[in-house]
CSV table of all heavy atoms in Angstrom, one decimal:
chain,number,residue,atom,x,y,z
A,26,PRO,N,3.2,-12.1,-16.0
A,26,PRO,CA,1.8,-11.4,-16.1
A,26,PRO,C,2.0,-9.8,-16.2
A,26,PRO,O,1.8,-9.2,-15.2
A,26,PRO,CB,1.1,-12.0,-15.0
A,26,PRO,CG,2.1,-12.2,-13.9
A,26,PRO,CD,3.3,-12.6,-14.7
A,27,GLY,N,2.0,-9.3,-17.1
A,27,GLY,CA,2.1,-7.9,-17.3
A,27,GLY,C,3.1,-7.3,-18.1
A,27,GLY,O,3.0,-6.2,-18.3
A,28,HIS,N,3.9,-7.9,-18.6
A,28,HIS,CA,4.7,-7.3,-19.8
A,28,HIS,C,4.7,-8.7,-20.6
A,28,HIS,O,5.2,-9.5,-20.2
A,28,HIS,CB,6.1,-7.2,-19.5
A,28,HIS,CG,6.5,-6.3,-18.5
A,28,HIS,ND1,7.4,-5.4,-18.6
A,28,HIS,CD2,5.9,-6.0,-17.4
A,28,HIS,CE1,7.7,-4.7,-17.5
A,28,HIS,NE2,6.7,-5.1,-16.8
A,94,PHE,N,-2.3,-6.1,-4.4
A,94,PHE,CA,-2.7,-4.9,-5.0
A,94,PHE,C,-4.0,-4.2,-4.3
A,94,PHE,O,-4.2,-3.1,-4.3
A,94,PHE,CB,-3.0,-5.0,-6.4
A,94,PHE,CG,-1.6,-5.2,-7.2
A,94,PHE,CD1,-1.2,-6.5,-7.5
A,94,PHE,CD2,-0.9,-4.2,-7.5
A,94,PHE,CE1,0.1,-6.7,-8.1
A,94,PHE,CE2,0.3,-4.4,-8.1
A,94,PHE,CZ,0.9,-5.6,-8.4
A,144,THR,N,-2.8,-9.5,-9.5
A,144,THR,CA,-1.6,-10.0,-10.2
A,144,THR,C,-0.7,-10.9,-9.2
A,144,THR,O,0.0,-11.7,-9.8
A,144,THR,CB,-0.7,-8.9,-10.8
A,144,THR,OG1,-1.7,-8.1,-11.5
A,144,THR,CG2,0.2,-9.6,-11.9
A,173,VAL,N,-6.1,-3.5,-14.1
A,173,VAL,CA,-4.8,-3.4,-14.7
A,173,VAL,C,-4.5,-4.9,-15.3
A,173,VAL,O,-3.9,-4.9,-16.4
A,173,VAL,CB,-3.8,-2.9,-13.7
A,173,VAL,CG1,-2.4,-3.2,-14.2
A,173,VAL,CG2,-4.0,-1.5,-13.3
A,174,CYS,N,-4.8,-5.9,-14.5
A,174,CYS,CA,-4.4,-7.2,-15.0
A,174,CYS,C,-5.6,-8.0,-15.7
A,174,CYS,O,-5.6,-9.1,-15.9
A,174,CYS,CB,-3.9,-8.0,-13.9
A,174,CYS,SG,-3.0,-9.6,-14.4
A,175,SER,N,-6.7,-7.2,-16.0
A,175,SER,CA,-7.8,-7.9,-16.7
A,175,SER,C,-8.3,-7.3,-17.9
A,175,SER,O,-8.9,-7.9,-18.8
A,175,SER,CB,-9.0,-7.9,-15.6
A,175,SER,OG,-9.6,-6.6,-15.4
A,176,VAL,N,-8.4,-5.8,-18.1
A,176,VAL,CA,-8.8,-5.3,-19.2
A,176,VAL,C,-8.3,-5.9,-20.4
A,176,VAL,O,-7.0,-5.8,-20.7
A,176,VAL,CB,-8.7,-3.7,-19.2
A,176,VAL,CG1,-9.2,-3.1,-20.5
A,176,VAL,CG2,-9.5,-3.2,-18.1
A,194,ALA,N,-3.9,-0.2,-17.4
A,194,ALA,CA,-2.7,0.4,-18.0
A,194,ALA,C,-2.4,-0.2,-19.3
A,194,ALA,O,-3.0,-1.2,-19.8
A,194,ALA,CB,-1.5,0.0,-17.1
A,195,SER,N,-1.5,0.3,-20.1
A,195,SER,CA,-1.4,0.0,-21.6
A,195,SER,C,-0.7,-1.4,-21.7
A,195,SER,O,-0.9,-2.0,-22.8
A,195,SER,CB,-0.6,1.1,-22.2
A,195,SER,OG,0.7,1.4,-21.6
A,196,GLN,N,0.0,-1.9,-20.8
A,196,GLN,CA,1.2,-2.9,-21.0
A,196,GLN,C,0.6,-4.4,-20.9
A,196,GLN,O,1.4,-5.2,-21.2
A,196,GLN,CB,2.4,-2.7,-20.3
A,196,GLN,CG,2.3,-3.1,-18.8
A,196,GLN,CD,1.6,-2.2,-17.8
A,196,GLN,OE1,1.1,-1.2,-18.2
A,196,GLN,NE2,1.8,-2.3,-16.5
A,197,LYS,N,-0.5,-4.6,-20.4
A,197,LYS,CA,-0.8,-6.1,-20.1
A,197,LYS,C,-1.7,-6.6,-21.2
A,197,LYS,O,-1.2,-6.7,-22.3
A,197,LYS,CB,-1.4,-6.1,-18.8
A,197,LYS,CG,-0.4,-5.8,-17.6
A,197,LYS,CD,-0.9,-6.3,-16.3
A,197,LYS,CE,0.4,-6.1,-15.2
A,197,LYS,NZ,0.2,-6.7,-14.0
A,198,ALA,N,-3.0,-6.8,-21.0
A,198,ALA,CA,-3.7,-7.6,-22.0
A,198,ALA,C,-4.1,-6.6,-23.0
A,198,ALA,O,-4.6,-7.0,-24.3
A,198,ALA,CB,-5.0,-8.1,-21.4
A,199,LEU,N,-4.0,-5.3,-22.9
A,199,LEU,CA,-4.3,-4.2,-23.9
A,199,LEU,C,-3.1,-4.4,-25.0
A,199,LEU,O,-3.1,-4.0,-26.0
A,199,LEU,CB,-4.3,-2.8,-23.4
A,199,LEU,CG,-5.6,-2.6,-22.7
A,199,LEU,CD1,-5.6,-1.2,-22.3
A,199,LEU,CD2,-6.7,-2.9,-23.6
A,200,GLY,N,-1.9,-5.0,-24.6
A,200,GLY,CA,-0.9,-5.3,-25.6
A,200,GLY,C,0.0,-4.2,-26.1
A,200,GLY,O,0.7,-4.3,-27.1
A,201,ALA,N,0.1,-3.0,-25.4
A,201,ALA,CA,0.9,-1.9,-25.9
A,201,ALA,C,2.1,-1.7,-25.0
A,201,ALA,O,2.0,-2.4,-23.8
A,201,ALA,CB,0.1,-0.7,-26.0
A,276,ARG,N,-12.2,-12.3,-28.3
A,276,ARG,CA,-11.0,-12.2,-27.5
A,276,ARG,C,-11.1,-12.8,-26.1
A,276,ARG,O,-10.2,-13.5,-25.6
A,276,ARG,CB,-10.7,-10.6,-27.3
A,276,ARG,CG,-9.3,-10.3,-26.7
A,276,ARG,CD,-9.0,-8.9,-26.7
A,276,ARG,NE,-7.7,-8.6,-26.1
A,276,ARG,CZ,-6.6,-8.8,-26.8
A,276,ARG,NH1,-6.5,-8.9,-28.1
A,276,ARG,NH2,-5.4,-8.3,-26.3
A,353,MET,N,-1.6,-13.6,-21.9
A,353,MET,CA,-2.6,-12.6,-22.3
A,353,MET,C,-2.2,-11.8,-23.4
A,353,MET,O,-0.9,-11.8,-23.8
A,353,MET,CB,-2.7,-11.6,-21.1
A,353,MET,CG,-1.5,-10.7,-20.7
A,353,MET,SD,-1.5,-9.7,-19.3
A,353,MET,CE,-1.8,-10.8,-17.9
A,354,GLY,N,-3.1,-11.2,-24.2
A,354,GLY,CA,-2.7,-10.3,-25.3
A,354,GLY,C,-2.2,-11.2,-26.4
A,354,GLY,O,-2.7,-12.2,-26.7
Side-chain angles (χ1 to χ4, degrees):
H28 304 220
F94 290 96
T144 320
V173 170
C174 196
S175 68
V176 173
S195 50
Q196 78 275 14
K197 294 202 177 186
L199 287 181
R276 187 174 180 86
M353 62 180 72

